[in-house]
Amino acid sequence: MKYSNKKIFFVIPAYNEGKSIGRVVDELKKAGYKNIIVIDDGSKDNTYAEAKKRKIIALRHIINRGQGASLRTGIDCALKNGAEFIVTFDSDGQHRIEDLEAMLSPVVKKEVDVTLGSRFLKKTDVPLGRRILLKGSVFVQRFFYGIKLTDAHNGFRVLSRKAAGQIQIDSDRMEHASEIVEEIMKKKIKYKEVPIEIRYTGYSMKKGHGSLKGALKIFFKMIMRKISH
Ligand SMILES: Nc1nc2c(ncn2[C@@H]2O[C@H](COP(=O)(O)OP(=O)(O)OP(=O)(O)O)[C@@H](O)[C@H]2O)c(=O)[nH]1
Ligand SMILES: [Mg+2]
């Protein structure tokens, strides 16, 4: 395990991921990471029980509040527990431990305060629907905010303690991903995109949120935020 002398905390939001959360946590533990926070967001399945029995920090929202709200809960908890670095990671098994070192290094070495995973900097077969949705978001970010990123909605990030304290997440649901990026730009936090791979599996595709309706909702909220600020 790289950087075992650092206080690295994983923040893993989970909604109805009883089938995969156990494997995700076990893999991280096997690799030597002990500070793992799972936020069960009012799941209807056994997500909470699966997290709890693995002797990690299992938090729970009584009702479903969204991924943004869950990240906020998890990041606050990590900071309270003395985290030096926070990794946000998906609970559906789409992120790979093999990409961790590349994500952590620039932040641990203090080159930047945030790394953002990008699936478009590496040759990955991103399904067409997802590609359209993600590229659409990249376009909106560029057009409205002048932000030049290659991947708009990637849940794999590393934040320094300082950056985690600076980034304010107000959006409860999926639009938090754009909000985090806007916060990074607004507060001039040093960041870097890092090529990572996303695993597209039958499991992830079945329950993905990448519908056109969802995308339109996110675009609408981004525009409203732009207008109201
Ligand atoms: N806490 C919380 N987590 C959620 C919620 N919705 C999704 N998640 C988690 O956030 C992660 C990413 O969500 P996905 O729906 O897989 O989104 P994605 O990976 O960007 O898109 P796909 O390519 O469709 O998988 C997963 O680990 C989910 O369990 C929610 O309402 N609350
Ligand atoms: Mg997913």
Side-chain angles (χ1 to χ4, degrees):
M1 174 195 169
K2 206 78 203 272
Y3 306 125
S4 52
N5 57 335
K6 307 281 180 204
K7 280 197 125 191
I8 299 168
F9 274 69
F10 284 79
V11 168
I12 309 180
Y15 182 54
N16 295 338
E17 302 283 11
K19 286 205 182 74
S20 67
I21 187 68
R23 193 165 37 87
V24 171
V25 170
D26 289 344
E27 260 189 64
L28 290 172
K29 282 176 75 173
K30 212 169 107 196
Y33 298 99
K34 337 179 258 306
N35 300 310
I36 301 171
I37 302 173
V38 170
I39 308 92
D40 164 41
D41 197 20
S43 297
K44 294 180 189 71
D45 67 359
N46 59 343
T47 298
Y48 182 71
E50 285 294 317
K52 184 94 185 147
K53 73 178 182 208
R54 286 177 164 80
K55 304 205 173 358
I56 51 162
I57 304 180
L59 305 177
R60 187 184 213 174
H61 289 162
I62 294 168
I63 53 160
N64 178 247
R65 295 179 50 206
Q67 201 188 6
S70 303
L71 279 179
R72 206 161 57 223
T73 301
I75 290 172
D76 284 352
C77 174
L79 290 174
K80 278 195 194 113
N81 281 282
E84 287 177 276
F85 303 98
I86 296 175
V87 183
T88 69
F89 207 71
D90 280 358
S91 52
D92 57 1
Q94 284 196 285
H95 294 155
R96 304 182 323 144
I97 276 188
E98 294 88 321
D99 290 323
L100 254 175
E101 196 181 325
M103 287 289 289
L104 275 166
S105 286
V107 186
V108 174
K109 291 181 182 153
K110 295 194 163 44
E111 285 165 36
V112 293
D113 273 302
V114 175
T115 49
L116 303 167
S118 172
R119 76 200 86 187
F120 293 110
L121 291 174
K122 223 174 186 178
K123 197 173 161 5
T124 320
D125 286 325
V126 182
L128 185 66
R130 299 288 186 278
R131 193 178 282 270
I132 293 172
L133 167 72
L134 291 163
K135 285 295 167 192
S137 305
V138 163
F139 173 78
V140 173
Q141 277 181 351
R142 213 166 268 218
F143 190 75
F144 284 100
Y145 297 92
I147 296 168
K148 294 197 184 78
L149 286 182
T150 58
D151 196 350
H153 284 240
N154 199 317
F156 199 172
R157 314 174 185 88
V158 176
L159 316 175
S160 68
R161 182 179 181 85
K162 184 175 138 215
Q166 283 176 298
I167 295 171
Q168 209 187 317
I169 306 173
D170 290 326
S171 309
D172 282 346
R173 301 223 163 255
M174 283 302 181
E175 58 282 8
H176 73 276
S178 321
E179 190 184 20
I180 290 176
V181 172
E182 288 154 34
E183 282 282 290
I184 291 171
M185 302 299 160
K186 217 162 45 192
K187 298 188 171 152
K188 299 195 166 48
I189 297 170
K190 265 182 99 176
Y191 74 96
K192 184 180 180 180
E193 276 194 307
V194 172
I196 60 138
E197 257 176 62
I198 299 275
R199 293 187 191 126
Y200 286 96
T201 59
Y203 173 75
S204 79
M205 292 300 289
K206 218 163 46 218
K207 42 154 280 308
H209 73 277
S211 70
L212 194 60
K213 199 172 142 220
L216 289 174
K217 232 159 88 181
I218 292 174
F219 292 158
F220 179 71
K221 288 193 181 167
M222 280 174 89
I223 294 164
M224 288 310 287
R225 216 170 36 246
K226 176 77 181 165
I227 294 169
S228 62
H229 281 171

